[in-house]
Amino acid sequence: MKRSWLRFLLIVLLLLLPIAAVAASGFLVPAQFEMTFLGEFDDKVERLQNTDGPKIVIVGGSSVAFGVDAELLEQTLGMPVVNFGLYATLGTKTMLDYSKSAIGEGDIIVIAPEMNAQTYSLYFNAEAMWQAVDGHFSLLRYLASDDIPAMLGGFWDFAASKLSYLRTGTVLDPEGIYNASFDEYGFIRYNRTQDYNVMAGGYDAGMMLSFETDMISEDFIEYVNEYVRYAEKKGASVYLGFCPMNEAALD
């Protein structure tokens, strides 16, 4: 009988070892993505949560990071402004979920995603999310419960990539505007006279602009309506805005 229990415990331990090894690789290996573009995420959340009193919060993707000068808006409007946009690959839903953690009385929230079907849906990218919280895992407490299964499924690849970078000595430190170009307001500030992100014709031919309402998913509409009700209960107002767009890119 004793041998049977010992054998059972040994089997359980053997099964748990790979899980423990993966967990250790993901959580204990030094952060590998802090110097990447997604590494700005924790600073965005920190500024949002540390801005006291009524504030304006612009929620979106990289169009907000590149197109909303929060410092200039503060000076113009006389009210704190939070640039809460980073990367469309994180998903509009993710940014809205995290913005909930700091909604207060008198806040003005402007939802301004890029004009495409992905940003007007409940799209979620676990790989990008793991990279965004790397080294700041306490931020996972704001994650929506319905995104947890995707995060669990993506953890193996995240842990494996961290371990691979550590073993090879690879330092993820992009050059140019995707590294040290964020100012203290979370705005991408760089020399715009240089040829950064200049495309033929001034726009991305693979991402033409469309204002057709059928690109907006029904579950996204329902989610945003629930978000508005939540914000209004907190005493905030919510508006829909538009990111900067090039007329030449109209479909």
Side-chain angles (χ1 to χ4, degrees):
M1 187 69 174
K2 185 179 292 186
R3 287 184 178 181
S4 298
W5 273 106
L6 287 174
R7 189 180 297 111
F8 173 76
L9 289 174
L10 182 59
I11 292 172
V12 170
L13 287 173
L14 289 173
L15 290 174
L16 289 177
L17 278 175
I19 298 174
V22 173
S25 298
F27 292 114
L28 300 182
V29 168
Q32 301 293 308
F33 298 96
E34 284 192 307
M35 295 302 294
T36 68
F37 191 72
L38 284 167
E40 179 69 10
F41 183 71
D42 64 288
D43 294 322
K44 293 267 183 178
V45 176
E46 182 180 2
R47 173 165 173 77
L48 174 70
Q49 295 181 342
N50 290 342
T51 302
D52 298 324
K55 57 190 175 293
I56 299 172
V57 182
I58 317 294
V59 180
S62 59
S63 63
V64 173
F66 280 84
V68 176
D69 189 335
E71 182 180 15
L72 179 60
L73 283 176
E74 277 194 5
Q75 295 170 357
T76 304
L77 303 175
M79 187 174 180
V81 178
V82 179
N83 183 314
F84 202 60
L86 184 60
Y87 193 22
T89 299
L90 283 172
T92 305
K93 177 182 179 294
T94 294
M95 303 308 287
L96 289 172
D97 288 339
Y98 275 75
S99 71
K100 283 183 176 181
S101 66
I103 294 177
E105 182 78 27
D107 285 355
I108 298 173
I109 302 165
V110 181
I111 306 173
E114 290 86 348
M115 295 299 296
N116 61 64
Q118 177 178 296
T119 56
Y120 278 88
S121 72
L122 298 185
Y123 169 85
F124 177 78
N125 188 310
E127 178 184 7
M129 194 65 214
W130 275 120
Q131 294 179 17
V133 300
D134 188 23
H136 303 276
F137 297 114
S138 61
L139 293 177
L140 290 171
R141 67 183 183 274
Y142 302 115
L143 192 72
S145 58
D146 54 350
D147 292 326
I148 292 176
M151 289 293 281
L152 291 174
F155 185 75
W156 177 276
D157 288 339
F158 166 68
S161 65
K162 284 189 67 174
L163 193 58
S164 175
Y165 290 133
L166 183 68
R167 284 175 174 173
T168 59
T170 303
V171 179
L172 297 176
D173 192 7
E175 297 180 354
I177 60 176
Y178 289 103
N179 187 331
S181 299
F182 287 98
D183 66 11
E184 62 178 308
Y185 291 86
F187 174 55
I188 293 285
R189 197 174 293 282
Y190 63 98
N191 186 349
R192 293 174 184 264
T193 63
Q194 299 184 36
D195 293 333
Y196 288 125
N197 283 9
V198 176
M199 302 175 185
Y203 64 92
D204 185 354
M207 191 175 289
M208 302 298 288
L209 297 174
S210 172
F211 291 92
E212 296 295 329
T213 57
D214 59 3
M215 74 174 180
I216 307 174
S217 68
E218 290 295 328
D219 53 358
F220 181 77
I221 294 172
E222 182 179 346
Y223 174 81
V224 171
N225 285 335
E226 291 177 357
Y227 178 90
V228 172
R229 288 190 288 268
Y230 176 87
E232 289 178 341
K233 287 181 180 178
K234 294 285 186 177
S237 302
V238 183
Y239 299 89
L240 178 67
F242 292 92
C243 66
M245 289 175 277
N246 189 337
E247 185 178 5
L250 283 171
D251 187 357

